[in-house]
Amino acid sequence: MARFAADVPTRGGFSFDLCQRNEMLLKKGNQLPTFRKTGTTIVGLVFEDGVILGADTRATEGPIVADKNCEKIHYMAPNIYCCGAGTAADTEAVTDMVSSQLQLHRYATGRESRVITALTLLKSHLFSYQGHVSAALVLGGVDITGPHLHTVYPHGSTDTLPFATMGSGSLAAMAIFESKFREGLTRDEGIKLVSEAICSGIFNDLGSGSNVDVCVITRGQTEYLRNHQLPNPRTYVSSRGYNFLKGHTEVLSTKITPLKSSKVEAAAEVDEMEE
Amino acid sequence: MSIFEYNGSALVAMVGKNCFAIASDRRLGVNLQTVATDFQRIFKIHDKLYIGLSGLATDAQTMYQRLVFRHKLYQLREERDMKPQTFASLVSALLYEKRFGPYFCQPVIAGLGDDDVPFICTMDCLGAKELAKDFVVSGTASESLYGACESMYKPNMESEELFETISQALLSSVDRDCLSGWGGHVLLVTPTEVQERTLKGRMD
C-alpha cells in the first residue's frame, strides 16, 4: 500500500518506472508504437515591424492523417509565439512548460518576457535530454530589445536568423524564402510570403497538408490568423449523406439511466446569521 | 506484431446536438486467440464524462484505476466534478510523465461540459491531445474507422440519428479488422439521460 501512495501527484518531471517492462516487451518481438508526429512545415520571418510565423495544420500517425486541422503555433507569452515540429506530445509539453515558467518569471520581475529568455529555457531543457525530447521549434517574438526569430533543434542547438523554416517541408518552404525574401518587407508582403512558403510545403511535402496558420507579432500587438488560408476544402461530400433510420441497428440490450439535473440545487438551506 | 495489436480494440466517439456518443468493440484477445467477448473498454469517470482506452488492456485498466483515483481526490478537494477539458489535460500529463517508458494505451475522452456543450478528444500514447469537433477514433480498427466516420458523419445530429450513425460506423469498421469486433457497446449521453446499448455484430 505504501507503493500506492506514490500515485499522489509527484513533484513533476519524467517517471521511468515502466522502462524495464517495455524493454522486455521489445525483446520479445513487440514493436514500439508510432507516436503522433507533426510532419510539418513551419516558417518564420522578420519584417519591418516585427515577426511573422506560419505553420501548416496536418498531424500524422505513421502514414495516416490523425488531425486535419491541428494547431502548431503555440502560445508562449503575449508577445512570443512558437511553432513546433517533431513528436506532437514533446512540442506541446515543452512549449506549455516554458510558457508557464515565463509566466512565473513575469510575476517575479514585473516585466514583459524577452524572446531570449524563452530561447534559453527551451535549449537547456532540450539539451539536458540529449535529443530524446524530439521537438524542433521556430521561436519568434517582439520584446523591448526588438523583433527576434530563432530556431531550436531537438539536441538543443539554436540559430538566430532573419527567416527560418523547419520540419519535413522545410526545403520546399526555404526555396520560396530564398528566392523572394528581402529585408524590410511590409506586413501584407510578409503575410503573403509566409503563406506562399507554407503552401509550397503543403503541396509538395507529404507530411504537411490542410490549411495555413499565420501569426503576426508586432510591438504591443499580436494577431493569430487561424486558418488564414484554406487551400484544401472538402468538395467531395455527398449532399444527401447517409441516412440511417431509427431501428436500423440490431440491439441486444438497452439500459437507460436518467441523470439528475445539476441546475436544481436546493438553495434553501442557508442558515441566517443571528446576533 | 506491434504491442498495440496484442489485445485488439476499436473505439469511436462522435459529437451530436447537445449530446455525444462513445462506442467500443467487445473483444479481448491474446494475439489471434479470443479470450473474452464482453470486455469493457469504456469507463465512467462521472455522470457526464466517459473515457475509452484502447491498446494494451492491462495498461488500459491501470490507467483507468489511476484516473479514477485522481478524480476522486479532485472531488474531495474541489467538491465538484472535473470538467472534460481539465480531465483531458490530466490524462495528457499522466501519459507524458511516462514519455520514455509509455503506457501502451490511447484514450478517447468524451464529456458534456458547462452548458451541456459536448467535448471529445483523443491522444496518442504519449499524451498529444487532438481536439476534434466531429469525431475521434482509436484502436487497431482506426484506419477503417477514419474512413467510415468521414463519410457517415453529419454535424448536429439528434441523439437517435447519432446512435444509428455511430453504430453503423463501428460495426462496418470492425468487420474489416480481425482483431476487434464480437459486438459493440454504445453509450449515448444527453443532458438528461444516459443510454447504454449492446449491439449485435458478427462473431468472427
Side-chain angles (χ1 to χ4, degrees):
Chain A
M1 278 300 121
R3 197 163 270 235
F4 202 67
D7 235 7
V8 170
T10 51
R11 260 159 307 168
F14 294 122
S15 122
F16 296 92
D17 54 359
L18 291 178
C19 286
Q20 210 178 15
R21 174 199 78 152
N22 291 0
E23 275 293 306
M24 180 272 292
L25 285 170
L26 256 180
K27 284 204 189 82
K28 290 218 170 150
N30 294 296
Q31 299 148 317
L32 272 183
T34 49
F35 307 136
R36 186 166 302 142
K37 285 184 172 289
T38 52
T40 308
T41 309
I42 47 176
V43 305
L45 61 73
V46 176
F47 73 110
E48 65 181 358
D49 296 328
V51 166
I52 305 180
L53 299 173
D56 74 307
T57 60
R58 173 183 283 182
T60 54
E61 208 158 355
I64 305 289
V65 176
D67 194 350
K68 291 190 282 186
N69 204 4
C70 69
E71 280 187 34
K72 297 187 193 178
I73 306 186
H74 308 282
Y75 168 89
M76 298 284 262
N79 58 322
I80 308 174
Y81 276 72
C82 183
C83 308
T87 302
D90 287 332
T91 56
E92 274 179 39
V94 91
T95 48
D96 272 348
M97 184 191 76
V98 172
S99 173
S100 308
Q101 287 177 335
L102 285 175
Q103 174 89 310
L104 288 169
H105 193 249
R106 279 202 293 283
Y107 285 136
T109 55
R111 290 188 175 92
E112 190 187 54
S113 297
R114 298 191 187 193
V115 183
I116 198 81
T117 318
L119 182 70
T120 311
L121 289 167
L122 284 167
K123 76 191 310 190
S124 42
H125 180 82
L126 291 174
F127 178 73
S128 63
Y129 286 98
Q130 288 291 296
H132 290 285
V133 174
S134 170
L137 312 165
V138 169
L139 174 72
V142 179
D143 57 31
I144 193 75
T145 52
H148 298 276
L149 180 69
H150 303 280
T151 51
V152 187
Y153 290 83
H155 284 263
S157 63
T158 58
D159 285 319
T160 307
L161 300 159
F163 59 94
T165 66
M166 294 282 263
S168 56
S170 61
L171 271 66
M174 189 50 98
I176 302 289
F177 272 176
E178 284 287 8
S179 52
K180 297 189 182 176
F181 179 82
R182 56 184 168 76
E183 302 266 311
L185 288 162
T186 63
R187 185 201 143 95
D188 289 330
E189 286 172 343
I191 295 179
K192 188 160 164 289
L193 183 58
V194 160
S195 306
E196 243 187 280
I198 298 289
C199 282
S200 163
I202 287 173
F203 292 118
N204 299 106
D205 173 43
L206 299 178
S208 316
S210 296
N211 316 120
V212 179
D213 281 353
V214 173
C215 185
V216 184
I217 311 173
T218 51
R219 189 92 194 87
Q221 199 202 14
T222 309
E223 242 187 282
Y224 186 10
L225 304 166
R226 170 85 170 132
N227 288 356
H228 175 66
Q229 274 183 10
L230 296 113
N232 294 301
R234 195 159 167 250
T235 51
Y236 54 83
V237 188
S238 148
S239 50
R240 280 170 308 152
Y242 281 87
N243 274 315
F244 297 114
L245 300 168
K246 187 179 168 181
H248 196 98
T249 316
E250 271 189 87
V251 174
L252 289 174
S253 68
T254 311
K255 184 171 113 174
I256 302 189
T257 319
L259 294 175
K260 56 182 185 300
S261 172
S262 53
K263 297 212 169 71
V264 182
E265 296 283 326
E269 305 200 20
V270 178
D271 287 338
E272 298 282 340
M273 285 239 293
E274 288 175 45
E275 289 284 290
Chain B
M1 253 222 309
S2 159
I3 190 68
F4 269 106
E5 291 163 15
Y6 186 74
N7 291 128
S9 52
L11 273 172
V12 56
M14 273 191 190
V15 162
K17 195 166 174 186
N18 289 335
C19 61
F20 69 84
I22 181 167
S24 76
D25 73 319
R26 308 185 78 209
R27 177 184 178 270
L28 175 73
V30 169
N31 285 328
L32 293 173
Q33 186 187 31
T34 305
V35 164
T37 57
D38 56 358
F39 190 65
Q40 194 195 7
R41 285 201 170 86
I42 301 175
F43 303 102
K44 180 173 122 158
I45 301 292
H46 64 75
D47 276 343
K48 291 184 180 172
L49 180 58
Y50 288 80
I51 180 166
L53 290 156
S54 71
L56 194 63
T58 172
D59 278 350
Q61 289 181 335
T62 307
M63 266 305 284
Y64 166 65
Q65 286 165 4
R66 289 188 73 195
L67 288 167
V68 153
F69 175 69
R70 293 292 294 267
H71 184 252
K72 283 185 177 171
L73 268 182
Y74 184 92
Q75 274 179 325
L76 285 171
R77 287 192 183 121
E78 302 255 336
E79 293 179 3
R80 64 181 175 88
D81 289 331
M82 240 191 218
K83 286 189 198 152
Q85 290 85 347
T86 316
F87 184 70
S89 294
L90 171 67
V91 178
S92 176
L94 282 180
L95 288 171
Y96 193 70
E97 207 180 20
K98 305 264 185 273
R99 164 70 174 85
F100 299 115
Y103 284 118
F104 296 121
C105 62
Q106 285 170 326
V108 164
I109 297 164
L112 282 177
D114 294 333
D115 293 333
D116 296 326
V117 171
F119 170 86
I120 50 170
C121 99
T122 184
M123 289 166 211
D124 69 348
C125 62
L126 294 183
K129 268 186 282 194
E130 183 207 321
L131 308 163
K133 295 199 172 60
D134 41 15
F135 58 86
V136 290
V137 304
S138 174
T140 47
S142 62
E143 296 181 19
S144 306
L145 278 164
Y146 273 126
C149 291
E150 274 283 356
S151 41
M152 295 184 192
Y153 177 80
K154 283 185 291 204
N156 283 326
M157 282 186 280
E158 293 293 337
S159 60
E160 281 168 7
E161 208 192 339
L162 181 66
F163 166 72
E164 297 292 335
T165 308
I166 200 176
S167 311
Q168 290 298 320
L170 179 74
L171 290 173
S172 50
S173 305
V174 303
D175 285 350
R176 280 286 184 179
D177 177 31
C178 313
L179 299 167
S180 48
W182 268 266
H185 202 136
V186 183
L187 272 127
L188 195 118
V189 180
T190 63
T192 50
E193 62 181 9
V194 174
Q195 300 168 8
E196 210 177 310
R197 289 189 181 87
T198 323
L199 304 176
K200 182 170 151 83
R202 285 173 64 137
M203 308 298 267
D204 63 354

